[in-house]
Amino acid sequence: MRMNIRKVFCGVLLLLCSLQTLANVVYQDANVRFTLIDEGTLRLEYAPDGKFVDNKSFMAVIREYPKVNYNIKNNTKQVVINTSKLKLVYKKGTGPFSKENLTISSAKTISKSFVWKPGMKQTGNLKGTYRTLDGYDGSEYQYSTPKHEMPIEDGLLATDGWTLIDDSKSLLFDGAKDWDWVTERKSAEGAQDWYFMAYGHDYKGALNSYTKFAGKVPLPPRYTFGYWWSRYWSYSDQDFRDLIGNFQRLDLPLDVLVIDMDWHPISPEAGGGWTGWDWNERLFPDYKAFLKYLDEQGVKATMNLHPADGVRPYEKKYKEFMQRLGKDDGKAHEWLGSDKQYVKAIFDTYLHNYMDEGVDFWWLDWQQWEKDRAVKDLDNVFWCNYIWFTDMERNGNKRPMLYHRWGGLGNHRYQVGFSGDSFITWESLKFLPYFNSTASNVLYGYWSHDIGGHQSKQWGSPVEPQLYTRAMQMGQYLPIIRSHSTKDPSLNKEPWAFGQDTQQRLANVINGRYALVPYIYTMARKTYEEGLSLCRPLYYDYPEVRESYEFKEEYMFGDHMLIAPVTDEVNPNDGYATVKVWLPAGEWLEYETGKMLQGGRIYERRFTMDEYPVYIKAGSIIPYFGKLKNLSGTNQAVTVRVFPGGENGFFKLYEDNGEDKNYVTEYATTPLSYTREGNKLSVTIGPRKGQYKDMPVQRQYYMALPCQKAPVSISCQGKELPFTYDGMNLETTIDLGMVDCASGVTVDIEMPADYVLVDGVKADFRHIQTMVRDYKQHEAGMVYTEDFGYLEATPLRLTYHPEKQEETFNAYNERIKRVDQVLIEQMGDSENYKRAMRLLNREEQP
């Protein structure tokens, strides 16, 4: 009897010890363990043999969690766990989890009520992502009969309000201190390892909860958000130098050069190939000098790798590699990712040296066998991604960065995705916004697409300027902007390969992308902290509104911008494309046109090739960069734009070193804010907080007021400040000079007494310029009438003399109201007149 008591005591003691070693275990018996990750997220384990899994899994890499508030009722028959978001009821001693013994229900705080039992199927999963766009035209696969829709994987979110993730079969990490490595799970047959998330329609909260056990999305280096040039082409060192020279000649920024497969030879006789580890000296006679040249230009280098064929005897460092393996058999050794010695040998023989010599990160493209040859169920895509990314974490000073294919849940920890070889079609362009934004539902928010498509459906078809322009305009508002195409000589996407109009539009996109980087980089920090991707579906913010689910091409670009992409051709008769747009509640500034639109409505809006549907929340304050060569360094000038429509606004600008590994703790934030009372506006760049390497003491700052009339006066600490006014874009710019970042500055602005928004005039000015240029092409000998000349010159009148803006606007408004008469006086009732009215968007629409 005493022996039994001693056994019971020891068992209880062991149980208490196990509860203390694993954080937040709220209930455990011989076969069942419940762990609270947060108030809405549970780990549920059933172990037939009583052996629970404490190792990290491929999906769940965090095993300790912050304290969670809960209460528990535990009696001989059942255990009941309550939190602010859920209630769990389990019948004790009844075996594996089933609908007979386990129930989880939502608490009253959850926006979508539910009662869940094992075996229930979701009815409203909002989907996740898919490995590749290879072979798909839009969502339809082209290389099968019949064609089929893309089987996009289920995501973490559902309108049902709950999600169950079954991790029971997932591989584990072994906890090795030198390099955490794969190990097979040895759970008994019938073991269950589940994660249950209760979130209602708080989709943002659910994604944040997921990061608490699956890990954060690492912050990419800042250069990631600049322009990438890529092409599958037999580029030589000289070709790349010429390419970069052309970017510089056109004064276009460039941050990343993607070097595709031909950097390495497939054999001593061949000039290029799919895999290999040596440089092709026929194309790159001195690769170290080439990498040094890129570094001098501030351009980052990434190299394409297809590692499947492994290391072959003809490669230069084959003997060194074999010595690291401890072998000397003279054979080719194909890739075996589960073999740590093999992987270390490749990195130590080749890749670490290349990174020391100037390669910044790797483009990894696994296209071969799905599973590892030695470890059952080890997915080669996921495991290669893990290997390459964590090697950068462990070695060198560069911030880890990887460009690769999707490998399943948990792959968000390895950042940027390569979506594969899409077709150059309008259908593919139309599909991208949906594909991109739903990927945020599995935290895979950094897709890099072949902007404009990879290949034509018919070989030899040239790039269509309108389609490529629209693709690039969308790319400006995607996570990564990277041009790419295949080895079809007709697929030239360099800006200088197009006519003047298209070249200018592409230049505007590239420069416009760089202007957005302070905003994008701040949102990327939010991705790291909260699991909220840069491009995200509208239902994150408007989960109870039907249209937020229906308008699948629209997406939020960060917190303040809504994008409604143009995915159809313009009407050839008037040069406008029509876009059906749903705007959520509130006011939204259509930035390209300067039109303020009331939300809660569906609109049909029309846009020329020079315009793109970007909607900014009224009253936003957003930081921008000016003209840049690239994103190197930390002291770029910042323009703080205050958008019309609000009484106050706030934005916290995020900064760090941009390229080092220390961003988790070494960073700074600067508060940007304004208040508006009547016609008085006060804008503040607050004191910066935090610190990071190479942080500037002072920064050149500007303030800008877009789509508004010019101010009456501007002052700072009682001193009047000058300003410039851009009449074409109706934007005031104030040069603040070098601002002490530790103290900041406040600027007081007096606007005209009347309503300052110049509603929609920005577009009218642009359309007038287009119309005038078109008219001159048809009537080169024409002479301006006084009214026609006034319309054309109004923007410059405002630029030259903003102090006369009331007089100028009055004269302009009087003429634009009777623009049909002005045009008839200039052109007569002719084809020129009819065409001019269409170009001005003044023609009645059906």
Side-chain angles (χ1 to χ4, degrees):
M1 182 68 177
R2 290 180 180 176
M3 183 65 69
N4 289 338
I5 292 173
R6 187 179 295 116
K7 286 182 178 179
V8 170
F9 175 77
C10 290
V12 171
L13 184 61
L14 287 171
L15 176 60
L16 290 174
C17 289
S18 69
L19 288 173
Q20 292 173 350
T21 57
L22 200 65
N24 288 22
V25 173
V26 295
Y27 173 78
Q28 182 173 330
D29 60 30
N31 303 108
V32 171
R33 185 167 70 175
F34 297 140
T35 306
L36 275 172
I37 295 168
D38 62 19
E39 282 79 3
T41 309
L42 272 164
R43 184 184 182 194
L44 306 96
E45 297 172 89
Y46 174 76
D49 56 359
K51 296 179 181 178
F52 299 103
V53 174
D54 293 341
N55 290 58
K56 297 183 293 184
S57 78
F58 275 22
M59 189 272 296
V61 295
I62 300 174
R63 293 304 192 199
E64 295 187 359
Y65 318 108
K67 181 180 178 181
V68 179
N69 293 321
Y70 70 97
N71 63 67
I72 184 169
K73 296 178 182 178
N74 186 3
N75 57 42
T76 57
K77 292 186 177 181
Q78 66 178 17
V79 58
V80 180
I81 300 169
N82 280 283
T83 74
S84 62
K85 294 186 177 180
L86 59 78
K87 177 181 179 180
L88 176 147
V89 179
Y90 172 68
K91 295 179 182 179
K92 297 166 66 173
T94 55
F97 304 136
S98 67
K99 63 182 179 181
E100 283 76 26
N101 65 12
L102 178 65
T103 301
I104 301 176
S105 55
S106 55
K108 291 182 180 179
T109 57
I110 293 287
S111 56
K112 169 70 174 178
S113 62
F114 62 81
V115 176
W116 173 86
K117 295 183 178 183
M120 285 181 59
K121 301 294 184 183
Q122 282 183 334
T123 59
N125 194 281
L126 294 167
K127 310 308 289 183
T129 194
Y130 188 62
R131 180 176 178 270
T132 182
L133 296 175
D134 288 354
Y136 286 91
D137 185 10
S139 63
E140 191 176 70
Y141 191 66
Q142 301 298 295
Y143 301 138
S144 65
T145 305
K147 296 174 183 177
H148 64 262
E149 289 292 305
M150 180 182 292
I152 296 178
E153 300 167 18
D154 281 352
L156 300 168
L157 307 176
T159 56
D160 307 69
W162 59 267
T163 295
L164 177 71
I165 304 171
D166 187 348
D167 202 36
S168 305
K169 302 296 184 182
S170 176
L171 292 169
L172 304 175
F173 290 103
D174 63 6
K177 292 185 178 179
D178 68 321
W179 197 354
D180 225 353
W181 210 249
V182 61
T183 186
E184 296 185 72
R185 190 183 286 249
K186 295 181 174 60
S187 300
E189 185 67 28
Q192 296 167 311
D193 190 355
W194 296 351
Y195 293 82
F196 186 88
M197 302 168 63
Y199 48 85
H201 287 164
D202 180 11
Y203 302 131
K204 293 180 181 179
L207 296 173
N208 192 18
S209 292
Y210 181 69
T211 66
K212 295 176 184 178
F213 62 91
K216 292 180 177 291
V217 182
L219 180 63
R222 186 173 55 237
Y223 64 74
T224 308
F225 303 108
Y227 185 52
W228 299 27
W229 177 260
S230 175
R231 189 179 184 187
Y232 179 31
W233 196 251
S234 296
Y235 282 116
S236 66
D237 182 332
Q238 187 60 54
D239 289 333
F240 278 129
R241 290 172 184 264
D242 292 344
L243 179 86
I244 291 172
N246 280 325
F247 273 98
Q248 294 171 346
R249 176 177 57 82
L250 292 179
D251 197 21
L252 290 175
L254 177 67
D255 262 275
V256 178
L257 186 65
V258 182
I259 305 171
D260 212 322
M261 296 184 298
D262 292 291
W263 72 270
H264 50 208
I266 194 170
S267 71
E269 294 77 30
W274 282 92
T275 195
W277 309 95
D278 296 329
W279 282 76
N280 184 340
E281 295 181 358
R282 301 177 189 182
L283 296 176
F284 299 92
D286 185 342
Y287 78 85
K288 294 179 184 178
F290 168 65
L291 292 174
K292 182 180 179 182
Y293 163 76
L294 294 184
D295 187 61
E296 291 170 348
Q297 305 307 310
V299 175
K300 306 301 180 184
T302 183
M303 317 285 287
N304 179 288
L305 287 177
H306 289 75
D309 287 347
V311 182
R312 291 156 298 184
Y314 61 77
E315 297 186 74
K316 293 180 180 179
K317 292 187 176 183
Y318 175 79
K319 288 185 178 180
E320 179 182 340
F321 171 76
M322 293 301 291
Q323 286 174 354
R324 294 181 188 275
L325 281 188
K327 297 181 179 180
D328 187 19
D329 57 17
K331 298 179 182 179
H333 286 263
E334 70 176 11
W335 177 259
L336 185 61
S338 61
D339 185 335
K340 187 187 289 189
Q341 184 181 6
Y342 176 95
V343 172
K344 282 185 173 182
I346 284 182
F347 276 89
D348 290 340
T349 304
Y350 294 101
L351 302 184
H352 291 158
N353 293 329
Y354 289 158
M355 296 202 78
D356 291 341
E357 291 159 352
V359 175
D360 293 280
F361 64 100
W362 298 99
W363 171 15
L364 186 64
D365 192 6
W366 185 272
Q367 292 279 67
Q368 289 74 28
W369 56 95
E370 183 181 357
K371 303 296 182 183
D372 186 83
R373 304 290 202 201
V375 176
K376 181 182 178 183
D377 296 328
L378 177 59
D379 183 89
N380 272 316
V381 172
F382 182 97
W383 190 239
C384 284
N385 295 341
Y386 168 80
I387 288 169
W388 260 264
F389 189 86
T390 56
D391 177 77
M392 285 192 73
E393 285 185 313
R394 295 166 55 251
N395 297 288
N397 299 316
K398 295 175 180 178
R399 187 177 302 179
M401 166 80 167
L402 183 63
Y403 167 43
H404 59 99
R405 293 186 185 262
W406 165 250
L409 283 183
N411 214 138
H412 67 281
R413 298 189 297 270
Y414 317 123
Q415 294 167 326
V416 179
F418 164 53
S419 65
D421 301 345
S422 57
F423 283 107
I424 302 174
T425 65
W426 287 97
E427 281 302 312
S428 288
L429 185 65
K430 189 184 294 286
F431 180 64
L432 271 191
Y434 172 73
F435 181 83
N436 212 75
S437 59
T438 59
S440 67
N441 294 341
V442 288
L443 279 74
Y444 204 57
Y446 292 122
W447 269 124
S448 172
H449 305 297
D450 292 3
I451 298 294
H454 177 77
Q455 59 197 0
S456 299
K457 282 195 165 183
Q458 183 174 353
W459 184 269
S461 300
V463 175
E464 203 285 303
Q466 184 182 160
L467 175 57
Y468 184 54
T469 299
R470 291 306 194 193
M472 283 288 285
Q473 288 171 336
M474 184 190 296
Q476 183 177 342
Y477 300 96
L478 290 178
I480 312 296
I481 178 169
R482 176 183 59 87
S483 298
H484 187 73
S485 56
T486 191
K487 275 186 178 178
D488 181 340
S490 64
L491 298 182
N492 298 303
K493 293 182 176 178
E494 300 89 343
W496 50 89
F498 298 91
Q500 183 176 348
D501 287 346
T502 299
Q503 183 180 131
Q504 185 59 57
R505 288 168 186 145
L506 297 177
N508 291 343
V509 164
I510 296 170
N511 287 319
R513 171 61 175 215
Y514 279 79
L516 288 167
V517 167
Y519 173 75
I520 292 172
Y521 201 52
T522 299
M523 293 300 118
R525 179 71 191 200
K526 190 165 190 173
T527 302
Y528 167 74
E529 292 180 346
E530 301 179 21
L532 196 59
S533 297
L534 175 65
C535 296
R536 50 188 107 128
L538 300 180
Y539 48 74
Y540 285 15
D541 292 295
Y542 309 96
E544 309 304 333
V545 184
R546 173 176 49 83
E547 287 85 354
S548 70
Y549 299 89
E550 294 177 344
F551 280 73
K552 296 181 179 181
E553 288 185 28
E554 294 182 24
Y555 57 94
M556 293 298 296
F557 187 70
D559 293 341
H560 298 269
M561 298 183 183
L562 184 153
I563 313 300
V566 179
T567 56
D568 291 304
E569 297 180 72
V570 300
N571 184 329
N573 294 321
D574 58 22
Y576 285 85
T578 300
V579 178
K580 194 174 184 180
V581 180
W582 172 69
L583 295 177
E587 288 188 315
W588 297 84
L589 179 70
E590 193 173 71
Y591 187 42
E592 295 285 351
T593 68
K595 183 74 175 175
M596 188 70 79
L597 297 173
Q598 189 65 43
R601 288 185 52 191
I602 297 172
Y603 294 88
E604 282 199 359
R605 302 293 294 161
R606 286 161 48 82
F607 301 93
T608 68
M609 287 299 302
D610 295 306
E611 298 165 345
Y612 206 67
V614 176
Y615 297 90
I616 297 176
K617 288 182 179 179
S620 294
I621 179 170
I622 299 176
Y624 289 74
F625 280 155
K627 179 70 176 166
L628 297 177
K629 176 184 177 183
N630 54 50
L631 293 170
S632 299
T634 59
N635 199 16
Q636 293 86 355
V638 171
T639 297
V640 178
R641 276 193 171 79
V642 180
F643 290 89
E647 295 182 358
N648 55 72
F650 180 80
F651 189 94
K652 186 183 286 186
L653 171 64
Y654 171 80
E655 305 169 64
D656 62 29
N657 173 264
E659 295 189 29
D660 69 20
K661 294 181 176 181
N662 305 322
Y663 67 88
V664 174
T665 57
E666 295 181 14
Y667 63 91
T669 59
T670 301
L672 311 175
S673 62
Y674 75 87
T675 58
R676 191 193 306 267
E677 293 184 10
N679 66 328
K680 301 295 178 65
L681 181 66
S682 180
V683 186
T684 298
I685 299 169
R688 182 181 59 197
K689 295 182 179 180
Q691 192 164 353
Y692 59 88
K693 182 184 176 183
D694 300 327
M695 185 172 73
V697 175
Q698 295 182 316
R699 186 184 294 280
Q700 171 71 56
Y701 271 104
Y702 301 88
M703 287 183 181
L705 308 175
C707 305
Q708 301 173 64
K709 291 183 178 179
V712 175
S713 66
I714 302 172
S715 63
C716 178
Q717 297 179 336
K719 181 182 177 181
E720 289 290 318
L721 293 180
F723 66 89
T724 59
Y725 190 69
D726 177 356
M728 181 61 69
N729 291 299
L730 302 165
E731 180 165 286
T732 299
T733 300
I734 308 158
D735 185 349
L736 302 180
M738 299 301 291
V739 173
D740 185 335
C741 297
S743 56
V745 66
T746 295
V747 176
D748 296 310
I749 303 168
E750 181 182 355
M751 302 298 292
D754 62 343
Y755 185 58
V756 297
L757 175 70
V758 190
D759 199 19
V761 175
K762 181 178 175 181
D764 287 342
F765 282 177
R766 185 186 300 113
H767 299 163
I768 288 170
Q769 305 304 310
T770 300
M771 178 270 295
V772 171
R773 288 194 297 271
D774 176 82
Y775 177 51
K776 288 181 180 179
Q777 289 298 315
H778 290 84
E779 292 290 338
M782 63 82 193
V783 177
Y784 282 2
T785 64
E786 180 180 347
D787 288 343
F788 189 79
Y790 199 96
L791 288 179
E792 193 262 356
T794 298
L796 283 178
R797 292 175 185 271
L798 293 169
T799 299
Y800 296 152
H801 297 288
E803 74 281 2
K804 296 181 179 180
Q805 64 182 344
E806 292 306 313
E807 173 187 334
T808 303
F809 274 120
N810 288 336
Y812 168 80
N813 288 333
E814 188 277 326
R815 288 166 173 82
I816 201 68
K817 286 178 182 177
R818 54 181 183 86
V819 66
D820 55 337
Q821 298 176 25
V822 172
L823 295 182
I824 286 178
E825 289 173 2
Q826 176 70 54
M827 306 172 184
D829 188 6
S830 62
E831 285 301 316
N832 286 331
Y833 164 75
K834 294 176 183 177
R835 190 172 57 256
M837 290 294 282
R838 290 195 297 269
L839 291 172
L840 291 179
N841 204 17
R842 284 299 195 275
E843 187 178 54
E844 285 191 14
Q845 302 303 312

